DNA sequence: CTACATCCTCTAGCGACTAGAGGTGCAAGA
DNA sequence: TCTTGCACCTCTAGTCGCTAGAGGATGTAG
């Protein structure tokens, strides 16, 4: 029926060909059937799987978390507490990362704005890096 | 005089012992003298260097960027345009990353809030992952 | 039939460390 | 003086999630 080559699967899912093979190698994507000439032959179910994986990766979930989420998806009777916990943990990570990057941004802005574009011995960028005491934020 | 072991250097700089050795191995930190028993013996200049490197790493600069920044610091007559450019590039990266993470946060919030804590077949987390069309943002 | 794109497997590389094995140095207490 | 035990040494390999490349087989269009 609608058997699909790995290249076509890559085009449709937005996941690159070597990455698809990589996902198979780590057991994230089921091994597809092969053609007579040993070429992978995907079915729609594989495309759904790939879309799920891709989306989860874009949201920053680690491969192990995705493995768990996929297993949950396959067993619809299970409680979704695990999925919920994984998503919440990721949310907390993201929030923390945003806070941290926001502090960094402020510090970088100070460095860049303070730069008089002269010589290095008066460069605010180098100064701030050399002397942590000049930081605006005690975030690290 | 004030010769310092690698352990003490680690404690004072906040950089771990294996990381200090790693920085030496990639030429970021100058090789210190050795004791009779072949142990590394650091001087204050090494500690300043380590502080600089650590601070730059915390700001997310890559090792190659730090290598350039350190070279600039060693030659105070040079124009600071390079340092300025490196810092600006990093600032733009950070801003971009914050925007991206903020979009992710929103999407994760929707997932987590929509979760009815029931069974997987009605789990918003799994649903959103499986169907990208349910995303709030077309960021990816 | 011949190009030529696409596919296959396998190994190695990326960045910035981190972990562990197997051995040596050194300072302090008994 | 000896021994305990921590800190140090080098070297290799592993982490994560891919990505690149070699060297060869397959599939398709003209």
């Amino acid at each position: 029926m609608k058997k699909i080559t790995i290249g076509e699967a890559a085009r449709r899912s937005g996941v690159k060909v070597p990455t698809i093979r990589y996902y198979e190698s780590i057991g994230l994507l089921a091994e597809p059937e092969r053609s007579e000439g040993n070429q992978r032959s995907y079915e729609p179910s594989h495309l759904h799987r790939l879309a799920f994986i891709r989306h989860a990766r874009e949201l920053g979930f680690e491969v192990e978390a995705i493995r768990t989420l996929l297993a949950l998806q396959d067993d619809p009777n299970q409680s979704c507490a695990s999925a919920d916990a994984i998503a919440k943990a990721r949310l907390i990570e993201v929030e923390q990362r945003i806070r941290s990057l926001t502090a960094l941004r402020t510090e970088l802005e100070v460095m860049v704005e303070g730069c008089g574009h002269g010589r290095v011995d008066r460069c605010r960028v180098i100064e701030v890096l050399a002397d942590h005491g000049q930081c605006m934020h005690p975030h690290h």
Side-chain angles (χ1 to χ4, degrees), chain A:
Chain A
M1 313 65 167
K2 348 185 205 165
K3 296 291 194 168
I4 283 169
T5 66
I6 195 169
E8 187 59 25
R11 239 163 284 124
R12 293 203 202 169
S13 67
V15 179
K16 291 181 195 157
V17 168
T19 305
I20 294 177
R21 285 197 278 250
Y22 168 70
Y23 287 157
E24 183 185 320
S25 80
I26 61 170
L28 210 56
L29 187 67
E31 293 182 24
E33 296 192 359
R34 299 288 184 124
S35 74
E36 287 201 5
N38 196 35
Q39 302 204 346
R40 288 172 180 81
S41 176
Y42 292 97
E43 296 177 46
S45 66
H46 290 105
L47 291 182
H48 296 141
R49 215 67 162 168
L50 273 177
F52 188 106
I53 295 169
R54 185 190 168 200
H55 196 186
R57 284 296 301 135
E58 281 169 345
L59 286 167
F61 289 100
E62 292 176 3
V63 163
E64 283 316 302
I66 298 174
R67 207 186 288 281
T68 305
L69 290 168
L70 284 169
L72 288 170
Q73 195 190 26
D74 289 342
D75 185 1
N77 288 323
Q78 257 190 279
S79 153
C80 81
S82 311
D84 194 34
I86 290 171
K88 270 187 178 140
R90 177 66 191 142
L91 178 55
I92 287 168
E93 271 174 35
V94 168
E95 284 168 345
Q96 176 52 49
R97 192 92 187 100
I98 289 172
R99 272 195 296 279
S100 160
L101 284 174
T102 303
L104 290 193
R105 182 178 56 188
T106 305
E107 204 175 329
L108 285 166
E109 279 166 356
V110 170
M111 284 169 63
V112 168
E113 280 165 22
C115 178
H117 308 284
R119 286 183 307 144
V120 162
D121 56 359
R122 290 198 187 170
C123 181
R124 183 99 175 123
V125 173
I126 302 284
E127 271 175 24
V128 174
L129 285 171
D131 181 5
H132 192 181
Q134 295 194 31
C135 281
M136 301 289 100
H137 297 277
H139 55 81
H140 49 255

